[in-house]
């Protein structure tokens, strides 16, 4: 699964820096060990700083998931950047985002960081903790009857910041003054328990597993574990002994108290509880570390190793207990996976390949293949053929012209199967620079990413999933891809008709609409090239003749009268250019006129009106009009078996689905009327055929899954 290791180290990327700054940092070596351990456990791992950019980074790394798909996970190491409640910041963000994470929630960190609140909770639960008082300022009176020596420490700091033993009033006031000046915080004062220092690390949730107790042995200096000891700057060595040399009864006693403390503060996954054991063997709970250190010298790591959990096993065990908490005990149940249905197996194949699918989409998008770019088209064709060959598909020579159309089929053949129709060209000439791939949370951008590349990536992802489940060779599938979408399929349409006549059904891999909508009706398109020629005229010269540009503009305005919403027909000028000599008026106008329609009779009538409109050229002018594109419409049918089957699958897997009609013509229009066809099977698009063309990111996975499910036919 995808795991983001989130920590705080160097970044101070916040809107404003103020207040208490974090002094706790994980070393780069520890972060690397955790990442390497998780990678060794089979996970896809990235590391991020826990700053204001975290949401964007997680959105990019962990996009929205499908219903039934387990989301990614955050391995939280974040101590925060600033503020008194900084442990809570990243968990709070993750709660808001709906991202599962390792470790306790923000409410637990708030309790554990406030040592006074922790002690009050422990006392309410009847759990032993040293007597204490709180001094807000250096001169605050100590009214509680506490016996020296005492311990002073900030009430809401960690890793023993400001910790020291005081033996009299003078030392107490000095200790409180230092804490007040350094941390601007009240001081927790508690009785010092003469004796041994022991801690118990805990793993899991239900049940919580206490690890063997660890004793800290102080050979010289004060018998407390200071910040300098933890950072190895005190000049002394504090020995860790595990299991601590306690009696069986004493061991069980501190372990039981640790578990009760873990539950009292509502900790999750792991923690560490620190104890002092007095000379009579009575344990006292000092505090709870809700983010027990995973540094190589930490007590949690030390104790885990003693029970056979080396570092790699420990970090992966933390993932296991977290996943069990979020997703249930059968999360890693291989037997339940083996007995699942073909549909469930395909679901896992596709969803677990999400990163590969997006990487594949990026590869295709960054390969330029505009309609007029023969070299780019050749590169894309060769790579597509190479990929189909690896999937064990074979080229069908009788359905391939080698120039604009190619057909490949599985071992089971195309006959009475499903034909997938994919354009490999991006409509347009070779002008301008290609638009590179870029990714956001919901949308991915790039040249032709929706009009061509989304279809290619979806087809390959679905076929790959079928191959991995050993289903592809037995599935009747053909792939027809063509390279003249930008020319209105002028050269490939006849070959597509032949290929479709063999198939039982056809899916056209053009972009659909948001919310999973496919297209079952599209308008047809007729394009005409119009040429108007006349005499070259001088600017300002009086003449009975009209210049050709003015004549064209005058008549182009009249095209609006041919539009009809009722008849579902629209006429427009798609292109226009003029030619002239030096300072003379234009003597030639060339224009492309487009007619989109549903009814062929209506389109023929409009064509006649166009000819009539431009046939009455004025004196000295000549007009020529020729049809250059003829793309038939896709007409909606009342009973489309493809739609019915897609509805079944989308309802079963809780995928979005709907039906839409479109004004744009596609290859679907040339499919013989007796062959069921659905268009718009590729992911939804935005700003199609513009520099801002985008593809809906989650639909890339949804459509790949739906295509795989549909093709396997279960």
């Amino acid at each position: 699964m995808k795991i983001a290791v989130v920590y705080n180290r160097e970044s101070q990327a916040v809107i404003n820096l103020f207040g208490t700054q974090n002094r706790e940092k994980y070393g780069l070596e520890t972060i690397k060990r955790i990442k390497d351990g998780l990678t060794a456990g089979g996970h896809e791992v990235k590391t991020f700083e826990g700053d204001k950019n975290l949401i964007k980074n997680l959105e990019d790394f962990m996009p929205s998931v499908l219903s039934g798909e387990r989301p990614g996970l955050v391995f939280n190491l974040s101590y925060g950047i600033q503020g008194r409640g900084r442990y809570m910041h990243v968990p709070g963000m993750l709660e808001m985002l709906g991202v599962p994470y390792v470790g306790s929630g923000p409410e637990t960190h708030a309790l554990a960081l406030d040592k006074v609140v922790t002690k009050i909770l422990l006392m309410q639960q009847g759990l032993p903790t040293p007597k204490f008082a709180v001094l807000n300022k250096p001169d605050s009176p100590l009214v509680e009857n506490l016996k020296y020596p005492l311990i002073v420490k900030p009430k809401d700091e960690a890793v023993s910041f400001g910790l020291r033993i005081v033996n009299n009033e003078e030392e107490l006031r000095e200790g409180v003054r230092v804490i007040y000046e350094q941390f601007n915080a009240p001081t927790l004062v508690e009785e010092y328990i003469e004796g041994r220092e022991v801690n118990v690390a805990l793993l899991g949730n239900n049940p919580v597993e206490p690890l063997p107790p660890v004793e800290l042995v102080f050979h010289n200096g004060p018998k407390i574990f200071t910040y300098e000891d933890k950072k190895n700057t005190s000049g002394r060595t504090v020995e860790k002994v595990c299991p601590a040399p306690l009696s069986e009864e004493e061991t069980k006693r501190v372990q039981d108290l640790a578990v009760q403390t873990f539950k009292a503060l509502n900790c999750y996954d792991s923690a560490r509880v620190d104890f002092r054991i007095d000379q009579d063997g009575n344990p006292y709970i000092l505090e709870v570390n809700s983010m027990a250190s995973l540094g190589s010298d930490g007590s949690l790591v030390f104790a885990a190793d003693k029970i056979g959990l080396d570092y790699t096993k420990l970090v992966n065990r933390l993932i296991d207990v977290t996943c069990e908490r979020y997703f249930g005990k059968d999360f890693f149940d291989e037997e339940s996976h083996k007995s699942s249905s073909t549909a469930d197996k395909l679901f896992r194949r596709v969803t677990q390949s999400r990163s590969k699918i997006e990487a594949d989409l990026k590869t295709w998008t960054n390969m330029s293949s505009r309609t007029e770019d023969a070299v780019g088209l050749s590169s894309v064709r060769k790579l597509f053929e190479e990929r189909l060959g690896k999937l064990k598909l074979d080229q069908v020579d009788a359905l391939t012209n080698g120039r604009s159309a190619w057909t490949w089929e599985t071992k089971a053949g195309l006959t009475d199967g499903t034909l997938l129709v994919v354009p490999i060209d991006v409509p347009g000439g070779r002008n301008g620079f290609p638009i590179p791939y870029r990714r956001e949370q919901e949308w991915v951008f790039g040249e032709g990413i929706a009009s061509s590349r989304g279809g290619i990536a979806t087809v390959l992802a679905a076929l790959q999933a079928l191959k991995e489940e050993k289903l592809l060779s037995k599935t009747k599938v053909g792939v027809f891809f063509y390279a003249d979408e930008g020319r209105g399929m002028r050269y490939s349409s006849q070959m597509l008709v032949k290929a479709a006549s063999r198939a039982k059904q056809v899916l056209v891999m053009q972009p659909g609409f948001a919310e999973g909508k496919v297209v079952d009706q599209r308008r047809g398109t007729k394009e005409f090239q119009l040429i108007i020629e006349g005499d070259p005229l001088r600017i300002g010269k009086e003449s009975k003749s009209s210049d050709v540009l003015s004549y064209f503009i005058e008549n182009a305005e009249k095209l609006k009268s041919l539009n009809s919403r009722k008849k579902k027909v629209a006429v427009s000028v798609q292109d226009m250019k003029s030619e002239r000599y030096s300072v003379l008026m234009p003597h030639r106008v060339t224009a492309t006129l487009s007619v989109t329609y549903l009814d062929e009779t209506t389109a023929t009538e409009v064509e006649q009106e166009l000819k009539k409109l431009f046939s009455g050229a004025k004196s000295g002018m000549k007009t020529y009009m020729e049809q250059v594109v003829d793309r038939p419409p896709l007409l909606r049918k009342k009973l489309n078996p493809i739609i019915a089957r897609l509805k079944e699958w989308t309802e079963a897997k809780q995928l979005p689905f709907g039906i839409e009609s479109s004004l744009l013509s596609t290859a679907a229009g040339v499919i013989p009327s007796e062959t069921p066809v659905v268009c718009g099977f590729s992911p939804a698009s935005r700003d199609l055929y513009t520099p801002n063309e985008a593809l809906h990111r989650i639909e890339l996975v949804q459509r790949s899954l739906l295509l795989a499910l549909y093709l396997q036919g279960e």
Side-chain angles (χ1 to χ4, degrees):
M1 67 188 306
K2 287 190 172 186
I3 298 178
V5 177
V6 177
Y7 61 94
N8 289 106
R9 183 169 172 81
E10 303 297 337
S11 175
Q12 293 184 321
V14 294
I15 294 176
N16 296 300
L17 275 172
F18 67 92
T20 306
Q21 301 299 302
N22 176 32
R23 302 185 185 188
E24 295 180 79
K25 294 182 179 180
Y26 265 105
L28 293 176
E29 182 179 346
T30 298
I31 295 169
K32 183 177 185 303
R33 284 190 74 189
I34 293 171
K35 180 180 180 181
D36 291 346
L38 294 173
T39 301
H43 300 289
E44 181 184 351
V45 188
K46 284 192 176 182
T47 59
F48 302 105
E49 287 259 10
D51 56 22
K52 69 181 181 68
N53 300 313
L54 178 61
I55 293 179
K56 180 179 181 301
N57 289 330
L58 290 180
E59 285 177 339
D60 185 62
F61 181 53
M62 297 178 178
S64 301
V65 295
L66 309 187
S67 176
E69 181 188 3
R70 298 180 180 105
L73 191 76
V74 166
F75 198 105
N76 182 34
L77 304 174
S78 173
Y79 294 126
I81 294 176
Q82 60 186 5
R84 295 199 181 279
R86 55 188 177 271
Y87 277 28
M88 297 177 278
H89 295 169
V90 165
M93 291 168 67
L94 298 175
E95 293 278 347
M96 177 187 71
L97 296 175
V99 177
Y101 57 94
V102 174
S104 296
E107 70 285 351
T108 296
H109 292 312
L111 296 174
L113 269 176
D114 191 321
K115 296 176 175 59
V116 174
V117 173
T118 298
K119 291 173 76 68
I120 291 173
L121 283 173
L122 296 176
M123 293 171 64
Q124 289 177 340
Q125 296 286 330
L127 300 174
T129 187
K131 294 180 181 179
F132 72 99
V134 179
L135 300 185
N136 291 318
K137 294 182 179 180
D139 58 355
S140 296
L142 180 63
V143 297
E144 287 78 2
N145 184 22
L146 302 181
K147 298 179 180 179
Y148 289 98
L150 302 172
I151 292 285
V152 296
K153 51 189 171 184
K155 72 179 278 287
D156 52 7
E157 283 291 344
V159 294
S160 302
F161 286 132
L163 177 70
R164 63 187 294 184
I165 299 175
V166 296
N167 297 288
N168 51 51
E169 177 77 11
E170 182 180 354
E171 291 181 2
L172 170 65
R173 296 302 165 183
E174 173 62 16
V176 176
R177 183 189 65 79
V178 170
I179 290 172
Y180 185 77
E181 291 178 354
Q182 287 189 1
F183 301 99
N184 190 29
T187 298
L188 170 64
V189 182
E190 66 180 5
E191 290 186 347
Y192 172 68
I193 305 299
E194 186 72 43
R196 305 162 68 181
E197 181 146 338
V198 171
N199 62 62
V200 177
L202 302 114
L203 281 176
N205 298 289
N206 189 21
V208 183
E209 178 187 358
L211 301 187
V214 176
E215 181 172 5
L216 306 181
V217 180
F218 307 97
H219 296 290
N220 54 67
K223 306 299 184 182
I224 56 174
F225 200 32
T226 66
Y227 173 72
E228 289 74 20
D229 291 326
K230 294 179 179 180
K231 295 301 179 182
N232 297 316
T233 60
S234 64
R236 66 173 181 171
T237 299
V238 178
E239 183 185 357
K240 292 185 176 71
V241 179
C242 183
L246 304 172
S247 69
E248 185 176 337
E249 181 181 348
E250 289 173 326
T251 296
K252 187 176 187 310
R253 173 67 172 151
V254 293
Q255 287 181 326
D256 288 346
L257 287 172
V259 170
Q260 292 177 60
T261 303
F262 187 95
K263 293 179 178 180
L265 270 69
N266 199 31
C267 296
Y268 289 138
D269 306 332
S270 72
R272 191 192 72 238
V273 180
D274 297 341
F275 295 88
R276 295 286 291 194
I277 301 177
D278 68 16
Q279 295 175 345
D280 295 326
N282 299 311
Y284 292 85
I285 303 167
L286 301 181
E287 59 185 76
V288 180
N289 190 324
S290 57
M291 290 184 64
S293 173
L294 288 172
S296 57
D297 58 350
S299 292
L300 171 59
V301 176
F302 187 66
D305 187 66
K306 298 301 181 182
I307 62 169
L309 289 177
D310 62 21
Y311 204 85
T312 295
K313 290 179 180 177
L314 172 61
V315 295
N316 283 282
R317 174 70 179 277
L318 285 169
I319 296 296
D320 291 351
V321 298
T322 303
C323 288
E324 182 178 314
R325 172 166 60 90
Y326 278 104
F327 309 123
K329 291 186 176 182
D330 63 344
F331 182 77
F332 293 108
D333 183 2
E334 292 297 327
E335 288 303 316
S336 66
H337 289 187
K338 291 177 183 178
S339 61
S340 59
S341 68
T342 299
D344 291 337
K345 292 176 182 177
L346 288 173
F347 182 93
R348 283 193 295 273
R349 289 287 185 189
V350 174
T351 55
Q352 291 174 6
S353 300
R354 180 192 295 261
S355 296
K356 293 180 180 179
I357 297 172
E358 289 191 0
D360 201 31
L361 178 66
K362 180 178 180 180
T363 297
W364 291 109
T365 303
N366 287 337
M367 295 180 69
S368 179
S369 64
R370 300 178 187 177
T371 304
E372 305 297 333
D373 181 6
V375 175
L377 282 170
S378 178
S379 298
V380 170
R381 175 185 60 80
K382 289 178 180 178
L383 180 57
F384 199 18
E385 290 178 338
E386 179 184 327
R387 295 288 298 278
L388 293 175
K390 289 182 178 179
L391 290 167
K392 305 301 181 183
L393 272 68
D394 299 310
Q395 183 170 292
V396 184
D397 294 336
L399 303 176
T400 298
N401 64 22
R403 299 179 301 278
S404 60
W406 298 263
T407 304
W408 289 59
E409 64 182 2
T410 60
K411 298 298 182 184
L414 166 61
T415 304
D416 293 329
T418 304
L419 180 65
L420 309 177
V421 181
V422 189
I424 65 169
D425 67 314
V426 177
R430 297 181 61 184
N431 54 325
F433 292 101
I435 309 298
Y437 176 96
R438 67 181 176 89
R439 184 172 64 183
E440 293 181 357
Q441 161 64 0
E442 292 190 21
W443 297 91
V444 282
F445 299 79
E447 185 172 285
I449 196 165
S451 56
S452 169
R453 284 21 186 169
I456 295 174
T458 299
V459 166
L460 291 174
L463 297 182
Q464 182 65 37
L466 291 170
K467 181 177 183 291
E468 290 173 357
E469 289 300 325
K470 297 179 173 54
L471 297 170
L472 185 58
S473 63
K474 298 177 287 186
T475 305
K476 294 182 177 182
V477 177
V479 179
F480 176 92
F481 60 96
Y482 61 100
D484 59 346
E485 174 65 27
R487 296 188 177 96
M489 296 189 74
R490 190 182 309 173
Y491 307 108
S492 63
S493 59
Q494 290 185 353
M495 196 61 69
L496 175 56
V497 172
K498 289 177 63 178
S501 65
R502 291 195 187 183
K504 181 180 179 180
Q505 55 204 354
V506 177
L507 302 177
V508 179
M509 307 304 295
Q510 286 284 2
F513 289 84
E515 299 179 356
K517 293 179 180 178
V518 297
V519 179
D520 68 341
Q521 180 168 279
R522 287 189 181 273
R523 289 193 183 186
T525 299
K526 294 181 183 289
E527 286 187 5
F528 304 91
Q529 186 177 64
L530 174 68
I531 300 176
I532 307 174
E533 294 181 335
D535 297 328
L537 301 176
R538 295 181 186 176
I539 298 175
K541 180 181 179 180
E542 293 185 9
S543 173
K544 295 180 180 180
S545 302
S546 175
D547 66 276
V548 294
L549 182 57
S550 298
Y551 171 76
F552 173 77
I553 293 172
E554 177 186 339
N555 284 280
E557 281 294 310
K558 299 176 183 177
L559 295 178
K560 296 178 181 178
S561 65
L562 300 177
N563 295 334
S564 172
R565 293 178 65 89
K566 183 178 180 180
K567 294 183 178 181
K568 294 182 172 57
V569 64
V571 184
S572 61
V573 179
Q574 293 288 89
D575 247 333
M576 192 278 291
K577 69 176 182 178
S578 62
E579 299 176 44
R580 64 185 176 85
Y581 299 125
S582 188
V583 297
L584 301 181
M585 298 291 288
H587 63 275
R588 180 183 290 112
V589 169
T590 304
T592 301
L593 307 180
S594 176
V595 179
T596 63
Y597 65 96
L598 274 182
D599 180 65
E600 187 71 41
T601 301
T602 302
T604 301
E605 292 173 356
V606 170
E607 180 181 351
Q608 296 304 318
E609 291 295 323
L610 286 177
K611 291 178 178 178
K612 186 187 300 184
L613 183 62
F614 288 101
S615 64
K618 295 185 179 182
S619 176
M621 290 187 193
K622 294 180 180 179
T623 62
Y624 310 90
M625 192 167 76
E626 177 185 5
Q627 181 173 301
V628 291
V629 171
D630 185 7
R631 308 193 78 173
L634 168 65
L635 301 178
R636 177 169 286 158
K637 295 180 174 63
K638 289 185 178 179
L639 297 176
N640 189 328
I642 301 177
I643 298 293
R645 190 65 174 145
L646 290 175
K647 283 183 178 179
E648 291 179 6
W649 275 121
T650 52
E651 289 173 2
K653 292 300 178 183
Q654 300 182 48
L655 298 173
F657 183 71
I659 304 169
E660 188 62 89
S661 62
S662 173
L663 301 177
L664 297 179
S665 305
T666 68
V670 307
I671 305 301
S673 59
E674 64 273 13
T675 303
V677 58
V678 160
C679 193
F681 205 92
S682 289
S685 68
R686 191 175 76 184
D687 298 325
L688 196 63
Y689 303 122
T690 74
N692 295 318
E693 182 172 314
L695 174 147
H696 201 272
R697 190 178 177 191
I698 186 64
E699 286 204 8
L700 181 64
V701 180
Q702 290 173 339
R703 287 304 169 90
S704 298
L705 172 61
L706 184 57
L707 181 57
L709 293 171
Y710 186 88
L711 292 177
Q712 60 91 27
E714 190 177 75

